[in-house]
Amino acid sequence: MKILVLNSGSSSQKACFYEVAADTPPTRPPAPLWEGRIEWTGDKASMSVKTCQGSVQKEGLKLSSRKDFVQHLLHTLDVGPVRALTSLSDIDVVGHRVVHGGAHFEEPVIVTPEVRSAIASVSTLAPLHIRAELEGMEIIDNLLGPVPQVAVFDTGSHRQMPLYAQTYPGPYDWFAKGIRRYGFHGINHEYCAARAAQLVGKEPRSLKKEPRSLKIVSCHLGNGCSVAAIQDGRSIDTTMGFTPLEGLAMGTRSGSVDPGILIYLMREGKLGHEQIDQVLNHESGLLGISGVSSDMRDILAAMKQGVARAKLAFDIFVHRLRNAIGGMAAALGGLDVLVFTAGVGENSAEMRAATCEQLEFLGLTLDPALNERPILDCDIATKDSPARILVIRAEEDWAIATECWKLTASSLTSPDQ
Ligand code: ADP
């Protein structure tokens, strides 16, 4: 079964292509057969595509529209040096990451005209992303005709959070107006929880529980960062809320700040909503504090050179992360597994060590040697640590491909086909 996964941003398009057996449920994530990315500003784009055999195609392009950019990227699937298919029409199903499902969507769905309208109806919650995702679906209509398309929602796995975790303590009618805590990174948090249960299930020496009943705190630390509390495979609380701005300090985003600061800036600094958006989303976090970079690698390098503001940025990042882990453990009433995932979570031993340093009271004891060893999907807690600490590679695209398989594989293998 040939599955294409699209992850559409406002000025970027990522895509992955997998082939899996239609009659056997997929288990461990394979490397995608083809993986492409295109980013553009104005009419100029840079494209980079690679295959699992190691072929690479890189190009600078001048094209006129998002549609042109994305079509150009997808045509490298069946033409040229990184070709992975005889024809685009061989694709069986296309999965889309949809950043916001609003209050409508929890589970992945087959895209129908009604589903598109429902996604469009929540577009004010994430206008740039949702426009790009709906355009992605139209591009597939044009290129592939009536192939099944599946929408998987980044907010979906948080939809079952208890009402008290979904509701802001503002006026009661905010909730009815859609101003509520949605949470994000749900596709990867849910994937990591399932993978954590798989990994811990194989190591019963320190945890005797059924994998399903594990209390998991998942830390997705990339450019955007969030922590989720997961019980019985479902999110019961998370740090991002109405938008991906709430919660932890991030690369360029502030995370939670006193809302009184915004009132003060509007009143005293005469800042409008666009300037506040710019400050909180693009000029804060690691970048805003350090003045060096939003990239944790640069922060760590600057710290080694004694740059005090880089050290402060790192300390704020870790302090807020520790507080969030403690809060999520409280929401769960305990903690069996802590997961680190995404760019910073997978790669920064310094950040993991600093975070876990103060968390021994939660039963988390890091093994310093294992923490330094860059193996993914592994346990880095000491043998006698009461709770496990796992590093799990973020696999959003594979998680989406798996949902495509679940929704469409039976129709491909049924005898009527
Ligand atoms: P996104 O949220 O855009 O999907 P990623 O999950 O790929 O991002 O994470 C990107 C971030 O990961 C980079 O900005 C950088 O801060 C961090 N990162 C990547 N490699 C390392 C590393 N070796 N050490 C520390 N941080 C890293």
Side-chain angles (χ1 to χ4, degrees):
M1 180 172 174
K2 296 179 172 60
I3 307 174
L4 176 67
V5 175
L6 294 189
N7 190 336
S8 308
S10 51
S11 55
S12 71
Q13 179 75 56
K14 291 187 238 169
C16 279
F17 172 66
Y18 298 93
E19 186 160 6
V20 296
D23 53 356
T24 332
T27 50
R28 294 283 302 276
L33 296 177
W34 170 103
E35 200 174 350
R37 179 186 189 107
I38 188 161
E39 286 171 342
W40 59 87
T41 26
D43 61 356
K44 289 205 186 82
S46 63
M47 183 180 79
S48 158
V49 188
K50 63 179 181 191
T51 66
C52 65
Q53 276 103 16
S55 308
V56 176
Q57 184 177 350
K58 289 193 179 194
E59 263 182 63
L61 299 163
K62 215 166 165 343
L63 293 166
S64 62
S65 66
R66 175 193 179 87
K67 193 172 149 223
D68 289 344
F69 291 130
V70 179
Q71 286 192 354
H72 187 82
L73 173 69
L74 296 182
H75 272 305
T76 67
L77 260 169
D78 67 348
V79 180
V82 288
R83 181 167 175 251
L85 270 171
T86 313
S87 158
L88 284 180
S89 61
D90 292 345
I91 292 171
D92 295 302
V93 53
V94 180
H96 298 267
R97 171 176 179 251
V98 177
V99 79
H100 217 305
H104 296 282
F105 295 109
E106 178 181 345
E107 299 296 338
V109 287
I110 299 272
V111 174
T112 60
E114 293 73 30
V115 166
R116 287 187 205 208
S117 309
I119 294 173
S121 73
V122 295
S123 67
T124 52
L125 296 174
L128 296 179
H129 270 98
I130 289 188
R131 197 179 314 141
E133 287 147 6
L134 290 169
E135 269 180 26
M137 293 172 195
E138 279 169 31
I139 290 167
I140 295 300
D141 291 339
N142 294 338
L143 274 182
L144 303 184
V147 66
Q149 300 193 50
V150 170
V152 187
F153 301 93
D154 220 18
T155 49
S157 71
H158 303 299
R159 291 288 306 117
Q160 290 297 322
M161 291 193 308
L163 203 52
Y164 56 77
Q166 286 191 54
T167 309
Y168 285 106
Y172 184 69
D173 66 355
W174 275 9
F175 192 84
K177 289 177 176 160
I179 303 174
R180 52 174 93 173
R181 303 192 68 253
Y182 294 103
F184 296 86
H185 293 147
I187 299 169
N188 193 47
H189 283 308
E190 195 168 308
Y191 166 79
C192 284
R195 184 81 182 107
Q198 228 177 24
L199 292 169
V200 168
K202 282 188 195 147
E203 293 181 30
R205 64 181 179 213
S206 55
L207 282 174
K208 303 258 181 298
K209 296 185 176 185
E210 276 299 302
R212 286 290 294 170
S213 68
L214 292 174
K215 293 174 173 168
I216 299 172
V217 173
S218 164
C219 307
H220 179 114
L221 308 171
N223 286 312
C225 302
S226 72
V227 177
I230 299 166
Q231 182 143 43
D232 298 327
R234 305 298 303 179
S235 165
I236 62 154
D237 199 1
T238 191
T239 53
M240 284 180 170
F242 179 61
T243 71
L245 193 48
E246 191 179 342
L248 303 177
M250 312 181 207
T252 62
R253 285 177 238 164
S254 62
S256 295
V257 294
D258 179 352
I261 297 170
L262 312 186
I263 300 167
Y264 177 85
L265 288 174
M266 288 160 78
R267 191 181 65 228
E268 300 299 321
K270 307 274 182 269
L271 260 57
H273 67 91
E274 283 172 355
Q275 289 157 305
I276 289 181
D277 183 334
Q278 173 67 18
V279 170
L280 297 181
N281 275 305
H282 304 291
E283 297 171 8
S284 297
L286 294 176
L287 173 67
I289 296 296
S290 69
V292 171
S293 167
S294 63
D295 190 314
M296 187 59 93
R297 286 165 289 201
D298 300 333
I299 299 293
L300 293 165
M303 276 165 63
K304 287 191 185 111
Q305 288 161 9
V307 179
R309 279 174 52 185
K311 170 82 169 84
L312 178 61
F314 180 83
D315 290 346
I316 294 171
F317 184 94
V318 167
H319 170 66
R320 294 201 158 211
L321 176 58
R322 272 195 219 123
N323 286 357
I325 294 168
M328 292 298 152
L332 288 163
L335 172 59
D336 297 312
V337 182
L338 179 69
V339 174
F340 288 106
T341 182
V344 182
E346 291 161 26
N347 293 298
S348 178
E350 292 95 329
M351 180 281 304
R352 292 191 299 260
T355 303
C356 292
E357 204 174 73
Q358 302 267 359
L359 297 181
E360 292 223 6
F361 78 100
L362 286 176
L364 295 160
T365 312
L366 192 70
D367 181 319
L370 291 175
N371 183 41
E372 290 296 329
R373 215 172 62 191
I375 297 177
L376 288 175
D377 291 11
C378 68
D379 188 343
I380 56 170
T382 57
K383 278 205 170 87
D384 57 357
S385 172
R388 312 315 308 161
I389 307 171
L390 305 180
V391 180
I392 297 182
R393 186 186 164 91
E395 289 282 2
E396 276 165 336
D397 295 321
W398 172 246
I400 294 169
T402 306
E403 297 300 341
C404 291
W405 182 89
K406 286 185 200 159
L407 282 176
T408 61
S410 58
S411 67
L412 289 176
T413 51
S414 86
D416 301 341
Q417 296 291 307

